[in-house]
Amino acid sequence: MMGHSHALTGAIVWLGIAPGLSALPSVFDFQPSLAFATAMSPAELIAGAIICAGAAMLPDLDHPSATIAQTFGPVTWLLSKGVNFISGGHRKATHSLLFAILMGVGAHLLAERFTVGQDILVVLSIGLALRAVGIGVPGNKIASAVVNIVLTGGIFAAFWGLGVTYAWLGFAIGIGCFVHVLGDCLTERGCPVLWPLKHKWLLPWDWGLKTGRKFETKILAPTLSVAVFALLFLRLMPM
């Protein structure tokens, strides 16, 4: 799937499940750090949707040639090169259930212990989300990176000013990564969902969706965009 499809599906899934996260204290009583003291504020709901959309791009950091690797210029390109090397190439380790779980748990622990680490994850996710939906200057990588940095900084500052807290960050990151894996399972190449198990145990789930073809660009993407705005309206509409 293309970047915008991944990002939009990440936002949709988050907006669909976010209200239920307030029930987590009764499920995870053994670990109070996972508790959500109150229901999410409108600002936190929007922040979660953006961060989950950005996290839905993280698995593709294993592809240095992808547009998403140019989000913050050389910084994300070098990050992408490192991820590509460690994961064994494109659509390998990062496109698995294990990666999604590790990213979610890792993000939660990092945010819980280090505010700077939390902020880096939030900034990276916002930037990836903006780039995925086409924010930038066509044909100019440097200008696109500058625009992304400015907008990302502005959005991050707005969330800070609105008092957004990130107790749910690990969930948003993990869910976003897994949504990406599920989306790519529908394409002709499939995904090694159960990596690192051997090839015969992989689940490609090839539904024949051709990445970047007419169905995705003309039908799927507009439908997903409408779904995001519809869910956002429903979640923010006063009861």
Side-chain angles (χ1 to χ4, degrees):
M1 295 177 73
M2 297 177 68
H4 58 263
S5 297
H6 285 305
L8 291 172
T9 51
I12 288 170
V13 171
W14 179 260
L15 291 171
I17 69 171
L21 293 180
S22 60
L24 284 175
S26 63
V27 180
F28 295 108
D29 285 334
F30 62 92
Q31 191 171 350
S33 61
L34 287 177
F36 297 88
T38 60
M40 286 185 179
S41 68
E44 288 175 332
L45 184 68
I46 294 172
I50 293 175
I51 290 170
C52 195
M57 295 308 305
L58 286 174
D60 270 351
L61 281 175
D62 66 357
H63 193 347
S65 299
T67 301
I68 207 69
Q70 314 303 323
T71 299
F72 293 138
V75 175
T76 41
W77 183 80
L78 288 172
L79 176 61
S80 182
K81 291 287 285 186
V83 172
N84 177 269
F85 176 78
I86 294 172
S87 65
H90 184 46
R91 288 207 188 190
K92 297 294 177 58
T94 64
H95 286 66
S96 67
L97 173 61
L98 178 61
F99 177 79
I101 293 173
L102 291 177
M103 286 300 296
V105 173
H108 173 73
L109 294 176
L110 184 65
E112 189 177 52
R113 289 166 172 75
F114 304 102
T115 302
V116 173
Q118 168 190 284
D119 292 344
I120 290 174
L121 283 176
V122 171
V123 167
L124 177 62
S125 298
I126 294 172
L128 291 175
L130 292 176
R131 191 57 185 264
V133 297
I135 303 297
V137 180
N140 192 323
K141 294 181 180 180
I142 295 178
S144 294
V146 171
V147 169
N148 195 297
I149 290 171
V150 172
L151 290 177
T152 297
I155 293 173
F156 177 78
F159 290 157
W160 180 80
L162 291 169
V164 171
T165 59
Y166 297 98
W168 40 263
L169 183 63
F171 287 91
I173 297 292
I175 290 166
C177 289
F178 191 54
V179 167
H180 181 112
V181 174
L182 292 179
D184 275 351
C185 280
L186 305 180
T187 66
E188 64 273 19
R189 289 185 59 185
C191 283
V193 181
L194 299 181
W195 183 95
L197 297 183
K198 298 299 182 180
H199 179 73
K200 66 179 181 179
W201 294 106
L202 304 186
L203 299 175
W205 298 350
D206 178 6
W207 287 18
L209 178 64
K210 306 296 182 182
T211 302
R213 298 294 179 85
K214 187 175 181 179
F215 172 77
E216 183 174 8
T217 59
K218 302 298 184 182
I219 299 176
L220 182 60
T223 301
L224 293 175
S225 299
V226 171
V228 168
F229 285 107
L231 274 172
L232 192 58
F233 174 78
L234 289 174
R235 295 304 183 209
L236 298 180
M237 183 176 61
M239 298 300 292

